[in-house]
Amino acid sequence: MRLVSWNINSLRMRLDLLRRLVKEEQPDVVCLQEIKVQDSEFPEDALKAMGYPHILRHGMKSYNGVAILSRLPFLAKDPQNWCDKGDSRHGRVVLGGDLDLQNFYVPAGGDVPDPKKNVKFAHKLQFLDEMQGYFKTRRNKKRSVMVGDLNIAPLEHDVWSHKQLLKIVSHTPVEVEKLTGIKTAGKWVDAVRHFVPENEKLFSWWSYRSPDWTRNDRGRRLDHIWVTPDLQKDLKQARIRRDMRSWKQPSDHVAVILDFAD
DNA sequence: ATGGTGGTCCTACCA
């Protein structure tokens, strides 16, 4: 089984880049975030033609939105609402063989890392608290995979400078602790760090606001794939497609890819 | 300390 997670930053704008990724990687399942398209405008036919007859779409106008594209049929589809906002940040499917797959787009959280001064940061923290509660009800669930743009770089070497980013939203202690709490409570295994040592820099996002992202490589690892411990023995390979950031008209995020025996 | 770029949809808002 090959699984891809990618914040595509507009599905319609980057259909050709998705086609290229699919051609090169031939994934069985693709989880997308920030599709930025409402369901009525969703390019369903184009995605079916790419080889994905089974699709969960959960979009809204202009912002956010997630989708799961699959070669395998879904046994269930289940998009959840978070923070009572209806802002299309989650989808869940069950795949053949009872594999539970969750796709998240966690709020970015704005610029000021203080929930009293910044409602976007308050929303991010509330979203993480709800994730903790949600997974608590599913604690003994096996064969589960959780992917997405979590908008948090939890480890020291998930950012270009730990010291310089401690007060920058995505790497502040309060959000890192909440994410780590979710990971620990659910006994989740970080499937990418399973293959890449924690002291090695690893990024999946580079800001658009830099004329040359390669110049000093100021990235962050915001995109993640986690699995339940029963799947750890089945992990085969994980990669981050850093080269996609150099594609023409790229997303600011690149794809994270996991191979595992299913 | 500030502003830098890009997507959506057409005016700001979000990242």
Side-chain angles (χ1 to χ4, degrees):
Chain A
M1 162 84 74
R2 173 164 289 174
L3 173 66
V4 165
S5 177
W6 185 27
N7 178 321
I8 194 169
N9 186 20
S10 173
L11 174 58
R12 287 174 295 177
M13 187 77 181
R14 274 177 259 288
L15 261 182
D16 284 340
L17 296 193
L18 180 60
R19 259 185 217 103
R20 179 173 170 188
L21 177 66
V22 162
K23 192 177 171 191
E24 290 179 6
E25 298 287 353
Q26 296 290 313
D28 299 293
V29 180
V30 180
C31 295
L32 299 171
Q33 305 88 33
E34 279 207 273
I35 60 174
K36 292 185 174 176
V37 58
Q38 56 193 325
D39 291 350
S40 61
E41 315 263 340
F42 190 88
E44 185 141 0
D45 294 343
L47 299 175
K48 285 187 169 162
M50 282 183 216
Y52 301 101
H54 309 286
I55 298 174
L56 170 97
R57 51 175 167 67
H58 188 203
M60 62 184 283
K61 196 171 179 173
S62 297
Y63 303 113
N64 312 327
V66 296
I68 301 177
L69 323 176
S70 175
R71 287 177 170 166
L72 314 162
F74 301 146
L75 303 180
K77 284 190 198 183
D78 177 18
Q80 299 266 329
N81 191 19
W82 299 80
C83 304
D84 204 23
K85 281 181 175 287
D87 59 356
S88 304
R89 294 180 179 274
H90 171 263
R92 167 182 172 260
V93 298
V94 179
L95 296 164
D98 267 350
L99 186 77
D100 194 286
L101 174 62
Q102 311 264 353
N103 183 16
F104 280 94
Y105 176 51
V106 173
D111 289 331
V112 180
D114 179 346
K116 291 191 286 290
K117 293 178 186 159
N118 173 11
V119 293
K120 291 181 198 167
F121 196 68
H123 176 211
K124 185 177 199 174
L125 298 183
Q126 188 193 339
F127 194 101
L128 293 166
D129 288 341
E130 283 191 19
M131 281 176 79
Q132 173 76 271
Y134 173 73
F135 284 121
K136 195 175 283 179
T137 65
R138 306 161 52 84
R139 187 150 295 175
N140 297 316
K141 198 108 176 117
K142 295 196 171 178
R143 293 186 57 74
S144 294
V145 181
M146 200 273 268
V147 314
D149 175 3
L150 305 184
N151 266 314
I152 296 171
L155 302 175
E156 185 169 337
H157 294 291
D158 290 340
V159 293
W160 62 275
S161 168
H162 173 62
K163 203 176 162 188
Q164 284 178 258
L165 271 78
L166 275 171
K167 290 180 178 170
I168 303 296
V169 171
S170 73
H171 195 62
T172 65
V174 59
E175 54 192 314
V176 167
E177 278 162 23
K178 284 192 188 290
L179 189 66
T180 305
I182 293 165
K183 183 164 175 278
T184 305
K187 298 190 171 71
W188 291 100
V189 175
D190 181 333
V192 179
R193 281 296 181 190
H194 181 75
F195 293 100
V196 182
E198 289 197 1
N199 62 0
E200 198 172 299
K201 294 278 182 205
L202 190 62
F203 310 141
S204 65
W205 171 91
W206 294 262
S207 172
Y208 282 127
R209 299 175 191 178
S210 164
D212 178 6
W213 73 279
T214 61
R215 182 170 287 275
N216 24 34
D217 195 18
R218 294 186 169 185
R220 305 177 203 168
R221 189 171 70 110
L222 304 179
D223 303 275
H224 301 273
I225 301 181
W226 293 355
V227 302
T228 45
D230 54 307
L231 292 177
Q232 182 165 330
K233 65 181 189 320
D234 300 320
L235 300 176
K236 300 295 180 200
Q237 178 189 214
R239 287 177 289 125
I240 297 186
R241 281 289 305 264
R242 193 183 156 90
D243 62 297
M244 286 172 64
R245 190 63 179 77
S246 292
W247 285 2
K248 196 179 173 192
Q249 291 187 288
S251 169
D252 45 355
H253 296 253
V254 301
V256 184
I257 302 175
L258 178 68
D259 292 347
F260 60 103
D262 56 313

